Amino acid sequence: MVLLLALLQIVLFQLVLPLCFLFLLWKEKNSSKFEWIFKVLAVVMIVGWIFQTGRWDWFGYYFRYIMILLLFVSLFFSWKKVKALPFYVKPTGKQKVNIGIFALLTIIFGFYNGGALSGYATQQQAIELSFPLKDGTYYVGHGGNHTQINYHNAYEPQQFALDILKLNKLGIRAKGFYPKELDKYAIYGDILYSPCNGEVLESRNHLPDMNPSEMDSEHPEGNYVAISCENTDSVVYIAHMKKDSVKVVEGDNVKEMDPIGLVGNSGNSSEPHLHIHAEKDGIGIPIKFNDQFLLRNNLIR
């Protein structure tokens, strides 16, 4: 039931909400340019926020740009309707209420946009790693320095963690909206490579892969590898690996881009993906790949 509600929330907020406001901007009559401006500001803030924070791997990554295109189309046709109107006429009571609602929405979603934008960078020193996947188009589902684009940010040890998925040719992470079969997820079984030179401090290999939406909350990281990376004073964790795929054990020395296992769905994981984060003295630290601090909706090819 919880999962069903979460999926319904994604559909409502990411598709239904912006499309309704775009339709409203396009079709609703205005008495003046003044009234129209408030509607435009609200719709731009709503669509901008969803563009930034939405999980577009569920519907098709490139659909997010279609949403922007629809915004421009709505602006164009709505402007054609209001360009001959006066800038201001005294609004009726109903129009005052409408203007107030759109002004409030502009403030609320403007605040949300500001929060998401604040997560695009960090002042903390980041460590440079090699991206641990090859041969595909990979998508950042969670990443950045704010909870709106990275829910891990609320937990200090994992505050800069990344959840990585893979996109198929349609820009979608799986065959189906939320399939039960693990092999329908594009990333499942992909080879994982060591992101650095270092020593393996911990590893686990025996836990089963869970079928979505089952999760093993008693072993949050599932099968995993923890590597003490050279010259960083930090430990990098790679989690939710496939059962019996982990190739390294405690005490092994690994070289950058050595194969260490496969992407799976073990532990407290809702679907197959790579979870990676770095810690120093139990506190999460930022990581970069090719000098890039990754954010939700970034692609890595």
Side-chain angles (χ1 to χ4, degrees):
M1 179 59 71
V2 174
L3 178 62
L4 181 61
L5 290 174
L7 296 178
L8 182 61
Q9 184 179 24
I10 289 174
V11 172
L12 287 176
F13 277 91
Q14 201 165 317
L15 290 181
V16 177
L17 176 69
L19 290 176
C20 285
F21 275 97
L22 288 170
F23 183 80
L24 184 68
L25 177 63
W26 186 344
K27 293 295 185 179
E28 190 175 55
K29 293 182 179 179
N30 299 277
S31 62
S32 66
K33 293 185 180 75
F34 181 78
E35 182 182 356
W36 178 78
I37 287 171
F38 280 93
K39 292 178 183 177
V40 168
L41 290 173
V43 173
V44 167
M45 289 296 105
I46 291 168
V47 173
W49 176 68
I50 292 171
F51 180 84
Q52 288 190 86
T53 66
R55 281 289 304 273
W56 294 100
D57 56 319
W58 286 76
F59 306 105
Y61 176 78
Y62 300 102
F63 189 77
R64 69 195 297 247
Y65 296 103
I66 295 176
M67 192 72 71
I68 297 298
L69 177 62
L70 291 174
L71 173 62
F72 281 106
V73 170
S74 296
L75 287 171
F76 174 75
F77 283 105
S78 64
W79 170 249
K80 287 184 69 175
K81 292 180 179 180
V82 304
K83 63 181 181 180
L85 295 177
F87 179 79
Y88 180 83
V89 295
K90 186 176 181 180
T92 65
K94 181 180 178 180
Q95 289 167 344
K96 287 180 180 178
V97 171
N98 284 340
I99 290 172
I101 290 172
F102 283 107
L104 181 61
L105 289 172
T106 300
I107 293 170
I108 291 172
F109 284 94
F111 176 79
Y112 286 166
N113 275 284
L117 287 169
S118 73
Y120 280 37
T122 174
Q123 299 300 315
Q124 298 185 43
Q125 182 68 36
I127 62 170
E128 181 73 28
L129 300 175
S130 292
F131 192 69
L133 292 159
K134 296 180 181 179
D135 304 324
T137 299
Y138 294 96
Y139 170 88
V140 181
H142 288 279
N145 192 23
H146 195 280
T147 53
Q148 287 195 58
I149 54 177
N150 186 1
Y151 85 95
H152 298 293
N153 199 245
Y155 309 98
E156 190 174 47
Q158 299 185 27
Q159 60 186 324
F160 298 106
L162 295 167
D163 285 345
I164 308 292
L165 304 102
K166 186 178 183 180
L167 301 183
N168 60 25
K169 292 180 180 179
L170 298 176
I172 304 171
R173 80 206 194 295
K175 296 177 181 178
F177 193 67
Y178 195 54
K180 294 287 187 182
E181 300 85 354
L182 293 171
D183 59 3
K184 289 189 175 181
Y185 292 85
I187 199 170
Y188 184 69
D190 275 17
I191 299 172
L192 289 164
Y193 300 88
S194 175
C196 62
N197 297 328
E199 179 184 353
V200 177
L201 299 182
E202 305 169 21
S203 71
R204 183 190 288 144
N205 192 35
H206 69 279
L207 294 176
D209 289 291
M210 310 299 291
N211 291 324
S213 60
E214 299 172 357
M215 291 184 282
D216 181 3
S217 59
E218 294 184 3
H219 305 93
E221 62 283 329
N223 302 314
Y224 74 103
V225 173
I227 302 173
S228 176
C229 290
E230 290 181 358
N231 305 318
T232 66
D233 296 323
S234 63
V235 179
V236 174
Y237 290 83
I238 295 175
H240 309 312
M241 297 171 70
K242 188 175 181 180
K243 181 183 179 182
D244 296 331
S245 75
V246 179
K247 297 179 178 292
V248 294
V249 296
E250 181 180 343
D252 284 352
N253 290 311
V254 292
K255 296 294 185 182
E256 186 177 333
M257 300 311 291
D258 281 349
I260 58 173
L262 304 177
V263 175
N265 193 46
S266 57
N268 194 34
S269 172
S270 59
E271 64 180 74
H273 69 284
L274 161 65
H275 171 102
I276 182 170
H277 76 273
E279 294 182 19
K280 183 177 180 180
D281 300 324
I283 298 174
I285 59 174
I287 56 181
K288 288 185 176 181
F289 301 102
N290 294 321
D291 203 35
Q292 184 180 8
F293 180 63
L294 295 177
L295 313 166
R296 174 176 290 180
N297 290 315
N298 282 165
L299 296 182
I300 308 97
R301 294 183 170 93

